Amino acid sequence: MKCLILAAGYATRLYPLTENFPKPLLEVGSKTILDWLVDDIDGAGLVDGFIIISNHKFADHFRQWAVGKSQAIEVVDDGTSTNETRLGAVCDIKFAIDKLHLNEDLVVIAGDNVLDFSLQRFVHYAAEKRTSCVMRYFEPSEERLRKCGVLQLEGDLIKNMEEKPSEPKSHWCCPPFYYYTREDAARIPRAIAEGCGTDAPGSFIAWLCTKTKVPAMEMPGSRYDIGNLESYRAVQNEYYGIK
């Protein structure tokens, strides 16, 4: 099993802080955001390598960071240099799979998430389910729902998923933590050919749940959103690590 970390964004809402520095390497507490994620997932003992999907502008930053890590980490440069030319999350996943000839189960997460809970539980959940799966959390705010991937569920199975709906059909949100079986990861080119959205990372799951059963595990803690400079300063003051 490999872990793909999506880190090819440009975080324009955090300028000037991230104009020449990648958001996942910002420090929160005693570590960078990426350190928190990689060190935690590594502790599950099920992932044997990490792949950072970066844009060309920030690839060297990630390579320098990876030198100091004990885990096996490979940085993939998607070749883009501006926010306007970005590939989009789903195309970045496909790019990394093609570039590295990946043919194994994948944990796919966004590299800019700060969490107060361990992702190890999700990794074990996915391994036990032996099917592609996601996480979910209850979002009471309709304003926030319109900016998220919204799930309709039957039990713990996704019946429908819609990215950034104008009229949300439930209060269940899908954060950017996914598990793809190797068989489902191989279906990404078909999903794109059939019109799957490519910008938001959840778009592939929105397509996949119409083809096969995709369960959703309830998130056991909180996710801190760093969307602008004010929220980044707030997280720095409020975050106390993984419980």
Side-chain angles (χ1 to χ4, degrees):
M1 185 190 303
K2 292 287 190 294
C3 178
L4 267 65
I5 300 180
L6 301 169
Y10 291 86
T12 55
R13 291 183 297 159
L14 276 167
Y15 280 14
L17 189 63
T18 55
E19 191 166 5
N20 294 298
F21 193 77
K23 180 178 175 182
L25 293 182
L26 294 177
E27 291 190 353
V28 175
S30 60
K31 300 181 179 183
T32 69
I33 297 171
L34 262 188
D35 282 314
W36 285 111
L37 293 169
V38 169
D39 293 348
D40 174 40
I41 293 172
D42 189 48
L46 295 175
V47 170
D48 59 6
F50 293 84
I51 299 155
I52 311 295
I53 310 171
S54 171
N55 56 54
H56 183 66
K57 183 177 180 180
F58 294 138
D60 283 342
H61 288 274
F62 291 114
R63 292 189 184 105
Q64 291 169 17
W65 165 82
V67 169
K69 301 297 291 179
S70 61
Q71 296 89 356
I73 299 174
E74 184 160 3
V75 177
V76 174
D77 178 351
D78 75 1
T80 71
S81 296
T82 66
N83 188 57
E84 291 71 29
T85 60
R86 69 187 185 277
L87 299 183
V90 176
C91 287
D92 267 321
I93 295 167
K94 179 182 181 298
F95 183 90
I97 290 173
D98 293 344
K99 178 83 172 176
L100 302 179
H101 307 290
L102 299 175
N103 182 28
E104 52 198 305
D105 297 343
L106 302 172
V107 177
V108 179
I109 65 172
D112 59 356
N113 284 270
V114 179
L115 312 171
D116 70 359
F117 64 93
S118 173
L119 282 170
Q120 293 181 30
R121 181 175 169 187
F122 177 61
V123 176
H124 284 288
Y125 173 88
E128 291 168 6
K129 287 288 185 180
R130 315 194 98 186
T131 183
S132 295
C133 53
V134 303
M135 295 189 80
R136 60 185 164 99
Y137 67 93
F138 189 86
E139 175 53 67
S141 167
E142 289 208 4
E143 181 181 352
R144 291 182 180 176
L145 285 168
R146 295 188 185 97
K147 301 175 183 178
C148 303
V150 176
L151 305 174
Q152 289 179 274
L153 300 170
E154 187 173 291
D156 69 342
L157 294 178
I158 303 173
K159 304 310 292 181
N160 183 64
M161 177 176 173
E162 187 177 2
E163 283 285 356
K164 300 180 180 179
S166 57
E167 296 184 8
K169 295 181 175 62
S170 86
H171 284 272
W172 287 112
C173 273
C174 179
F177 315 128
Y178 318 102
Y179 177 84
Y180 306 153
T181 64
R182 69 183 67 194
E183 295 83 6
D184 287 339
R187 302 167 84 173
I188 292 176
R190 177 186 165 195
I192 294 172
E194 292 185 2
C196 164
T198 56
D199 192 42
S203 296
F204 175 59
I205 292 295
W207 178 89
L208 186 64
C209 73
T210 67
K211 313 297 180 183
T212 189
K213 293 180 179 179
V214 181
M217 180 190 119
E218 187 165 358
M219 200 167 74
S222 298
R223 168 177 168 249
Y224 294 80
D225 178 33
I226 301 177
N228 52 39
L229 290 170
E230 183 180 0
S231 60
Y232 175 53
R233 295 189 186 102
V235 169
Q236 285 180 306
N237 293 327
E238 299 169 6
Y239 187 65
Y240 297 100
I242 295 172
K243 297 175 184 177

